[in-house]
PDB file of all heavy atoms in Angstrom:
ATOM      1  N   GLU A 189    -163.451  36.218   7.076  1.00  0.00           N
ATOM      2  CA  GLU A 189    -162.197  36.903   6.799  1.00  0.00           C
ATOM      3  C   GLU A 189    -162.336  38.396   7.092  1.00  0.00           C
ATOM      4  O   GLU A 189    -163.198  39.065   6.517  1.00  0.00           O
ATOM      5  CB  GLU A 189    -161.792  36.690   5.327  1.00  0.00           C
ATOM      6  CG  GLU A 189    -161.575  35.223   4.940  1.00  0.00           C
ATOM      7  CD  GLU A 189    -162.872  34.429   4.769  1.00  0.00           C
ATOM      8  OE1 GLU A 189    -163.959  35.021   4.896  1.00  0.00           O
ATOM      9  OE2 GLU A 189    -162.789  33.212   4.544  1.00  0.00           O
ATOM     10  N   LYS A 190    -161.444  38.905   7.966  1.00  0.00           N
ATOM     11  CA  LYS A 190    -161.510  40.312   8.376  1.00  0.00           C
ATOM     12  C   LYS A 190    -161.324  41.235   7.169  1.00  0.00           C
ATOM     13  O   LYS A 190    -161.982  42.262   7.042  1.00  0.00           O
ATOM     14  CB  LYS A 190    -160.410  40.612   9.399  1.00  0.00           C
ATOM     15  CG  LYS A 190    -160.560  39.813  10.679  1.00  0.00           C
ATOM     16  CD  LYS A 190    -160.491  40.720  11.892  1.00  0.00           C
ATOM     17  CE  LYS A 190    -161.068  40.107  13.147  1.00  0.00           C
ATOM     18  NZ  LYS A 190    -160.902  38.672  13.326  1.00  0.00           N
ATOM     19  N   GLU A 191    -160.410  40.788   6.297  1.00  0.00           N
ATOM     20  CA  GLU A 191    -160.081  41.611   5.139  1.00  0.00           C
ATOM     21  C   GLU A 191    -161.330  41.804   4.261  1.00  0.00           C
ATOM     22  O   GLU A 191    -161.590  42.885   3.735  1.00  0.00           O
ATOM     23  CB  GLU A 191    -158.958  40.898   4.356  1.00  0.00           C
ATOM     24  CG  GLU A 191    -158.296  41.704   3.259  1.00  0.00           C
ATOM     25  CD  GLU A 191    -157.834  43.082   3.705  1.00  0.00           C
ATOM     26  OE1 GLU A 191    -157.404  43.214   4.866  1.00  0.00           O
ATOM     27  OE2 GLU A 191    -157.946  44.029   2.885  1.00  0.00           O
ATOM     28  N   SER A 192    -162.137  40.728   4.124  1.00  0.00           N
ATOM     29  CA  SER A 192    -163.342  40.817   3.292  1.00  0.00           C
ATOM     30  C   SER A 192    -164.331  41.803   3.895  1.00  0.00           C
ATOM     31  O   SER A 192    -164.974  42.579   3.186  1.00  0.00           O
ATOM     32  CB  SER A 192    -164.012  39.448   3.169  1.00  0.00           C
ATOM     33  OG  SER A 192    -163.085  38.526   2.687  1.00  0.00           O
ATOM     34  N   ILE A 193    -164.470  41.759   5.230  1.00  0.00           N
ATOM     35  CA  ILE A 193    -165.411  42.663   5.892  1.00  0.00           C
ATOM     36  C   ILE A 193    -164.980  44.113   5.665  1.00  0.00           C
ATOM     37  O   ILE A 193    -165.788  44.993   5.370  1.00  0.00           O
ATOM     38  CB  ILE A 193    -165.445  42.388   7.422  1.00  0.00           C
ATOM     39  CG1 ILE A 193    -165.826  40.931   7.667  1.00  0.00           C
ATOM     40  CG2 ILE A 193    -166.402  43.325   8.135  1.00  0.00           C
ATOM     41  CD1 ILE A 193    -167.167  40.555   7.153  1.00  0.00           C
ATOM     42  N   ARG A 194    -163.644  44.318   5.763  1.00  0.00           N
ATOM     43  CA  ARG A 194    -163.120  45.668   5.561  1.00  0.00           C
ATOM     44  C   ARG A 194    -163.441  46.151   4.139  1.00  0.00           C
ATOM     45  O   ARG A 194    -163.934  47.242   3.928  1.00  0.00           O
ATOM     46  CB  ARG A 194    -161.598  45.653   5.754  1.00  0.00           C
ATOM     47  CG  ARG A 194    -161.073  46.836   6.555  1.00  0.00           C
ATOM     48  CD  ARG A 194    -159.598  46.603   6.873  1.00  0.00           C
ATOM     49  NE  ARG A 194    -158.811  46.577   5.635  1.00  0.00           N
ATOM     50  CZ  ARG A 194    -158.372  47.677   5.021  1.00  0.00           C
ATOM     51  NH1 ARG A 194    -158.623  48.857   5.540  1.00  0.00           N
ATOM     52  NH2 ARG A 194    -157.680  47.602   3.904  1.00  0.00           N
ATOM     53  N   THR A 195    -163.216  45.268   3.175  1.00  0.00           N
ATOM     54  CA  THR A 195    -163.466  45.616   1.775  1.00  0.00           C
ATOM     55  C   THR A 195    -164.944  45.946   1.569  1.00  0.00           C
ATOM     56  O   THR A 195    -165.309  46.901   0.881  1.00  0.00           O
ATOM     57  CB  THR A 195    -163.089  44.428   0.866  1.00  0.00           C
ATOM     58  OG1 THR A 195    -161.849  43.909   1.308  1.00  0.00           O
ATOM     59  CG2 THR A 195    -162.984  44.812  -0.584  1.00  0.00           C
ATOM     60  N   LEU A 196    -165.787  45.135   2.210  1.00  0.00           N
ATOM     61  CA  LEU A 196    -167.231  45.323   2.073  1.00  0.00           C
ATOM     62  C   LEU A 196    -167.632  46.693   2.636  1.00  0.00           C
ATOM     63  O   LEU A 196    -168.371  47.457   2.018  1.00  0.00           O
ATOM     64  CB  LEU A 196    -167.940  44.192   2.829  1.00  0.00           C
ATOM     65  CG  LEU A 196    -169.439  44.108   2.727  1.00  0.00           C
ATOM     66  CD1 LEU A 196    -169.858  43.914   1.280  1.00  0.00           C
ATOM     67  CD2 LEU A 196    -169.981  42.943   3.561  1.00  0.00           C
ATOM     68  N   ARG A 197    -167.084  47.007   3.826  1.00  0.00           N
ATOM     69  CA  ARG A 197    -167.435  48.291   4.462  1.00  0.00           C
ATOM     70  C   ARG A 197    -166.984  49.461   3.604  1.00  0.00           C
ATOM     71  O   ARG A 197    -167.700  50.442   3.456  1.00  0.00           O
ATOM     72  CB  ARG A 197    -166.779  48.394   5.834  1.00  0.00           C
ATOM     73  CG  ARG A 197    -167.481  47.498   6.823  1.00  0.00           C
ATOM     74  CD  ARG A 197    -167.207  47.933   8.255  1.00  0.00           C
ATOM     75  NE  ARG A 197    -167.794  46.950   9.136  1.00  0.00           N
ATOM     76  CZ  ARG A 197    -167.145  46.303  10.078  1.00  0.00           C
ATOM     77  NH1 ARG A 197    -165.874  46.554  10.292  1.00  0.00           N
ATOM     78  NH2 ARG A 197    -167.757  45.422  10.826  1.00  0.00           N
ATOM     79  N   LEU A 198    -165.768  49.324   3.049  1.00  0.00           N
ATOM     80  CA  LEU A 198    -165.248  50.416   2.218  1.00  0.00           C
ATOM     81  C   LEU A 198    -166.160  50.647   1.018  1.00  0.00           C
ATOM     82  O   LEU A 198    -166.460  51.784   0.654  1.00  0.00           O
ATOM     83  CB  LEU A 198    -163.830  50.079   1.727  1.00  0.00           C
ATOM     84  CG  LEU A 198    -162.732  50.241   2.787  1.00  0.00           C
ATOM     85  CD1 LEU A 198    -161.388  49.775   2.240  1.00  0.00           C
ATOM     86  CD2 LEU A 198    -162.631  51.710   3.208  1.00  0.00           C
ATOM     87  N   ALA A 199    -166.620  49.529   0.400  1.00  0.00           N
ATOM     88  CA  ALA A 199    -167.486  49.646  -0.779  1.00  0.00           C
ATOM     89  C   ALA A 199    -168.796  50.318  -0.390  1.00  0.00           C
ATOM     90  O   ALA A 199    -169.304  51.184  -1.098  1.00  0.00           O
ATOM     91  CB  ALA A 199    -167.731  48.276  -1.387  1.00  0.00           C
TER      92      ALA A 199
END
Side-chain angles (χ1 to χ4, degrees):
E189 299 75 3
K190 297 231 161 34
E191 191 50 35
S192 305
I193 302 299
R194 223 171 64 83
T195 316
L196 185 60
R197 286 201 186 125
L198 284 175

